[in-house]
Amino acid sequence: MAKKTVASLQTTSKRLSKAIKMVKSPKSGAYTFVEAIMQPEKVDAFLAKK
């Protein structure tokens, strides 16, 4: 299960990253992808929480 920051997004004043992680559903057992755009400093915390 790979966790990775996929893209760096540039805006006029802020630097942002898009993070994608795979999450397993407790009910069905299927995997879904959760995407979020955030500051690069917060990516590790996003990937660490379940």
Side-chain angles (χ1 to χ4, degrees):
M1 185 157 65
K3 298 177 184 177
K4 182 177 175 180
T5 301
V6 226
S8 291
L9 306 173
Q10 291 280 49
T11 60
T12 55
S13 62
K14 294 184 180 181
R15 190 165 167 244
L16 301 173
S17 293
K18 180 176 182 181
I20 301 173
K21 70 177 177 178
M22 258 176 38
V23 178
K24 187 173 183 178
S25 171
K27 284 186 178 180
S28 66
Y31 285 95
T32 58
F33 293 94
V34 177
E35 298 182 22
I37 297 176
M38 65 194 75
Q39 296 173 347
E41 298 82 30
K42 297 182 180 180
V43 171
D44 289 334
F46 172 75
L47 295 176
K49 72 178 175 182
K50 289 188 172 187

